[in-house]
Amino acid sequence: MSGTLYFVPTPIGNLEDITFRAIRVLKEVSYILCEDTRTSGVLFKHFDISRPLRSYHLYNEHYETEKIIQDLKQGKDIALVSDAGTPAISDPGFLLSKACAEHNIETVCLPGATAFVPALVVSGIPCNEFYFVGFLPPKKGRQAKLKALAEEKKTLVLYESPHKIVSTLEEIKVYFGEETQVSLSREISKKFEETKRGNINELILFSRSKALKGEMVLIIRNQ
């Protein structure tokens, strides 16, 4: 019988956010696929997880996927983790999930940490319907994507890096308008967790006023 591929969420900040089940699975699988073995190694050392580690990231997933499928077919249980959060959510994992589906290999995604969920909940912006965007295209197709999103009536969820946050907010102002309501959350589940809410001009001023660190989650009210 084929093995099982486990998608295992890891903490996005506080190490206590990992589940008992996640720790058990990580200790039982044949090996663990990591976006960065050094980053994951710190977490695994903390929880005394000593399984073999293999790199699986954006730059090797196309040629590593077939090897992993063969291991799964041979009955090995394998876990996939990203540096933080749930694998395949703006992180490597989709290609492997797709390949498992094509080969009828069992996949299990454990519930756990995902950055956009707490950001959405505390935003004060309607979250009964939302559109998860993830990261905007860096260059090609960026303007077209923003124009299309400006027509979307659901709450929008975006990820952004600290060095691009000001320019992205300025672009949102251009395409969405000055009255657009935005919530910015950063350092989620960490010591300096912070959420700032307001209109787009207020968020631009806030982002310019201090050197923000950590990946950002933007929640945009587009109704």
Side-chain angles (χ1 to χ4, degrees):
M1 294 181 61
S2 296
T4 299
L5 174 68
Y6 293 92
F7 294 84
V8 181
T10 53
I12 57 177
N14 194 316
L15 295 185
E16 294 178 357
D17 291 340
I18 198 167
T19 67
F20 293 121
R21 183 184 177 198
I23 293 172
R24 176 182 60 79
V25 167
L26 291 171
K27 288 183 175 182
E28 293 177 350
V29 293
S30 298
Y31 62 83
I32 304 170
L33 300 167
C34 307
E35 188 176 2
D36 187 325
T37 56
R38 295 165 298 181
T39 299
S40 298
V42 175
L43 174 70
F44 298 157
K45 182 178 180 180
H46 181 82
F47 288 106
D48 195 27
I49 297 167
S50 58
R51 305 310 299 150
L53 308 182
R54 284 175 51 176
S55 293
Y56 186 80
H57 47 71
L58 180 65
Y59 302 104
N60 74 353
E61 60 180 340
H62 286 85
Y63 56 84
E64 287 292 329
T65 294
E66 183 56 37
K67 300 176 187 176
I68 297 163
I69 292 297
Q70 294 306 314
D71 283 344
L72 288 162
K73 286 183 175 180
Q74 292 172 12
K76 293 181 180 179
D77 291 331
I78 300 169
L80 171 66
V81 301
S82 60
D83 288 346
T86 301
I89 304 296
S90 294
D91 282 319
F94 167 70
L95 288 181
L96 191 51
S97 176
K98 180 174 180 288
C100 285
E102 291 170 348
H103 291 272
N104 294 314
I105 293 171
E106 182 178 8
T107 55
V108 175
C109 182
L110 277 59
T114 301
F116 80 83
V117 174
L120 183 61
V121 170
V122 303
S123 69
I125 293 173
C127 55
N128 57 313
E129 288 188 299
F130 61 90
Y131 178 1
F132 177 74
V133 180
F135 288 98
L136 290 167
K139 293 181 180 179
K140 185 178 180 181
R142 188 178 180 89
Q143 292 185 353
K145 184 68 172 180
L146 284 165
K147 288 179 181 178
L149 291 174
E151 301 299 321
E152 176 61 57
K153 299 306 179 185
K154 297 182 179 68
T155 294
L156 303 176
V157 181
L158 280 72
Y159 286 164
E160 191 51 276
S161 60
H163 68 280
K164 289 184 178 180
I165 189 63
V166 173
S167 61
T168 295
L169 288 169
E170 289 173 341
E171 288 177 312
I172 290 169
K173 177 180 177 179
V174 170
Y175 289 98
F176 291 72
E178 294 193 4
E179 301 304 316
T180 303
Q181 295 295 307
V182 181
S183 174
L184 184 158
S185 293
R186 68 186 190 92
E187 299 283 74
I188 294 171
S189 187
K190 298 178 182 177
K191 182 178 180 180
F192 298 106
E193 179 175 346
E194 180 179 29
T195 293
K196 178 69 175 178
R197 309 171 188 86
N199 65 43
I200 192 67
N201 286 320
E202 292 171 331
L203 267 295
I204 290 172
L205 288 174
F206 168 74
S207 299
R208 286 175 174 168
S209 68
K210 54 195 300 187
L212 299 180
K213 296 181 180 180
E215 285 192 353
M216 318 286 172
V217 183
L218 292 176
I219 310 297
I220 303 172
R221 182 166 189 167
N222 196 27
Q223 301 178 23

